[in-house]
Amino acid sequence: MRTLLYFRLNDIATARLAQARLARLAGTPEFVAGLSFVQRDNQPVDGLPMVDAGQVTYREEAAITGIFVGAIVGVFIIFRYGVSAGDAATAVAYVGAAVLGAMIGWWVGGLAGGKIGRLALWRQHARTAPGQFLMIASCDSKSKEAVKQIVNELGGVGIDEHSDLMPNFRWL
């Protein structure tokens, strides 16, 4: 399972050092990927990777929800209108409608979720001072604590999406 961690960093030197230390962690079983950076004005940070929309919106969550909703809607349509060709054709119609509905739901959910920003994250993004920026790390759930410790040692401040800035870097 992937986990997104958000940090506020004060300078580019710290960001490059964090990127180098986390790159060493990527070769271990505690895998880190998807490290990206964003400034207050959404401009690139001097050669560092830019943010993917999936890291700052609810695109993936909405797409997963869309799979289930689409499958249910597809099955409901077949249930409502039915198939008169027999039992085998009805079973195939149910499976086909569920799969097609899930695919359409995934696509629509991803489009809709990509428009919904993570409010707490953007609130922290707006609070960043000039020269500061946000670092977003996509990591394996096993490496979460190691990533937090590395960034904390470098002076980064962890941002919990569900609460305000946590100055003591204590994650619940």
Side-chain angles (χ1 to χ4, degrees), residues 68-82 93-94 97-98 101:
F68 295 110
V69 170
I72 291 169
V73 168
V75 168
F76 177 74
I77 289 172
I78 295 300
F79 179 75
R80 173 74 172 98
Y81 296 107
Y94 273 112

Side-chain angles (χ1 to χ4, degrees), residues 4 47-48 55 61-62 68 84 87 122 128 134 138 141 161 171:
L4 290 174
L48 296 173
Q55 295 175 331
E61 291 89 344
F68 295 110
S84 61
D87 292 340
W122 286 112
T128 57
L134 298 179
S138 173
S141 59
E161 184 186 346
W171 293 74

Side-chain angles (χ1 to χ4, degrees), residues 11-151:
D11 57 9
I12 293 175
T14 303
R16 292 193 192 284
L17 190 55
Q19 186 179 25
R21 285 192 184 174
L22 292 174
R24 279 187 255 140
L25 191 62
T28 66
E30 300 166 335
F31 182 69
V32 177
L35 197 61
S36 56
F37 301 87
V38 63
Q39 291 182 7
R40 183 177 187 170
D41 56 357
N42 291 331
Q43 296 299 315
V45 181
D46 292 334
L48 296 173
M50 283 292 292
V51 173
D52 176 37
Q55 295 175 331
V56 294
T57 64
Y58 288 103
R59 184 176 65 189
E60 279 82 18
E61 291 89 344
I64 290 170
T65 303
I67 290 171
F68 295 110
V69 170
I72 291 169
V73 168
V75 168
F76 177 74
I77 289 172
I78 295 300
F79 179 75
R80 173 74 172 98
Y81 296 107
V83 177
S84 61
D87 292 340
T90 301
V92 170
Y94 273 112
V95 171
V99 170
L100 182 62
M103 289 172 44
I104 293 171
W106 168 75
W107 180 67
V108 170
L111 288 176
K115 304 290 184 204
I116 304 169
R118 297 180 187 269
L119 184 61
L121 177 63
W122 286 112
R123 190 173 32 224
Q124 290 296 331
H125 186 209
R127 290 184 193 172
T128 57
Q132 288 184 333
F133 49 90
L134 298 179
M135 179 181 88
I136 302 168
S138 173
C139 61
D140 191 355
S141 59
K142 292 183 271 183
S143 66
K144 192 164 66 169
E145 294 303 320
V147 171
K148 292 175 190 177
Q149 182 179 2
I150 288 171
V151 176

